[in-house]
Amino acid sequence: MSDLNTTLALLTHHKTIRQFKPQPIATDIIEKLIATAQHTATSNFCQNYSIISVTDSAKKRAIAAISGQDYVANNGHLLIMIADQQRNQQLALAEHEPDKLLHSTDKFLAAVFDTVLVTQSLVVAAESIGIGSVILGSVLNDAQQMIQLLELPPLTFPLLGLALGYPEQDPSEKPRLPERAVHFTNHYPRKPVALTNYNQQVQAYYQNRRQTPRTTNYQQHIAQSISQELGNRADLAAIIQAQGFLLDFKTDREDH
């Protein structure tokens, strides 16, 4: 039970770290973290992901520019998490099997699920040994440039970044939605759950946090987040299709 309690405490007190000590993470530690994360559940045992360590400083700076965040170039280790059906394509073709299904929306989603799950496992594994992290959805700010920068072949897609490092900060914990707002029984509720108290908690968090305090509650945060311009992200569907995914969706649309 003590191990279980330790795990629950680790997960409950997760903090995203954006300031890291100028100390690289040893290669053997990175290898151990990845080997541990490889035991994450995977769709149909296909392991539809790959991981790229970015150690070239120029590439790290380029990815930081795409992300718009300096800490992407200043951390202990930078990983890019790739949704990957390319490896499975090569294996299937070696067995003289057709690869048509690998281009489907279903297989793209399988790769997305696997990549997200293994990313979260890496975060937990890293935190268990005192290494902080920040997951970088911001690599999608220019997915096409990421593809070119990392020389990604068809049937791969740069889904997330993961910056790891020894924390240089101890941020406050963000309050989470009450369980009743996310956990329902048997059906989705017709009426939204009132979030008055939670709005107040989030507003207090933003007002009192050590860096970049602001006056925003949760409802306002959501409204602001969906009012932002998409920029290059508006092209994501076309880029994903250009990488060989979602072709069943493309065909269906063209037929109509």
Side-chain angles (χ1 to χ4, degrees):
M1 182 63 71
S2 60
D3 288 342
L4 177 62
N5 287 339
T6 298
T7 301
L8 292 176
L10 180 69
L11 292 169
T12 302
H13 297 291
H14 164 76
K15 298 178 181 180
T16 293
I17 301 299
R18 293 180 174 85
Q19 294 181 11
F20 303 97
K21 295 179 180 178
Q23 177 183 351
I25 301 174
T27 300
D28 63 320
I29 294 178
I30 294 298
E31 290 174 349
K32 180 61 176 177
L33 292 176
I34 291 175
T36 300
Q38 282 185 265
H39 292 274
T40 303
T42 172
S43 177
N44 202 30
F45 190 46
C46 288
Q47 305 173 77
N48 307 294
Y49 64 86
S50 288
I51 303 170
I52 296 179
S53 285
V54 182
T55 59
D56 181 272
S57 57
K59 288 192 175 185
K60 289 184 77 171
R61 289 194 298 272
I63 297 171
I66 291 170
S67 298
Q69 305 291 348
D70 290 341
Y71 52 75
V72 177
N74 300 304
N75 50 68
H77 199 86
L78 178 63
L79 300 171
I80 305 298
M81 313 299 293
I82 309 297
D84 187 0
Q85 293 290 3
Q86 163 72 204
R87 178 172 55 250
N88 292 338
Q89 181 187 51
Q90 299 304 314
L91 295 172
L93 293 177
E95 292 293 320
H96 308 290
E97 290 291 337
D99 65 347
K100 180 179 179 180
L101 287 180
L102 294 178
H103 299 273
S104 68
T105 302
D106 175 66
K107 292 303 183 183
F108 176 69
L109 287 176
V112 169
F113 300 152
D114 279 9
T115 306
V116 171
L117 288 171
V118 80
T119 301
Q120 178 60 23
S121 289
L122 274 167
V123 169
V124 175
E127 288 182 353
S128 74
I129 57 173
I131 293 173
S133 66
V134 53
I135 297 175
L136 306 167
S138 53
V139 297
L140 294 181
N141 288 350
D142 195 333
Q144 189 59 55
Q145 187 178 349
M146 289 292 300
I147 289 167
Q148 294 168 354
L149 191 66
L150 300 175
E151 303 175 37
L152 298 182
L155 290 178
T156 62
F157 187 76
L159 193 67
L160 294 167
L162 180 61
L164 300 168
Y166 297 100
E168 188 72 281
Q169 63 175 165
D170 184 20
S172 302
E173 293 180 23
K174 286 183 177 177
R176 286 335 198 222
L177 283 161
E179 182 187 348
R180 59 187 174 81
V182 300
H183 180 197
F184 316 122
T185 301
N186 294 328
H187 66 90
Y188 197 92
R190 295 291 184 181
K191 295 181 179 180
V193 175
L195 296 177
T196 303
N197 291 338
Y198 184 65
N199 274 326
Q200 294 172 350
Q201 292 174 21
V202 171
Q203 186 169 14
Y205 162 78
Y206 280 130
Q207 287 177 325
N208 297 321
R209 70 178 179 180
R210 302 178 186 95
Q211 296 178 324
T212 60
R214 56 192 172 99
T215 304
T216 307
N217 64 31
Y218 186 72
Q219 181 170 305
Q220 292 166 341
H221 165 72
I222 294 300
Q224 292 168 5
S225 70
I226 64 174
S227 65
Q228 299 172 358
E229 294 294 329
L230 287 175
N232 289 330
R233 288 178 181 241
D235 300 326
L236 282 175
I239 295 170
I240 291 168
Q241 288 181 345
Q243 284 297 102
F245 292 111
L246 310 185
L247 297 189
D248 52 347
F249 172 78
K250 183 177 180 181
T251 300
D252 290 344
R253 296 283 290 185
E254 289 176 344
D255 289 344
H256 289 81

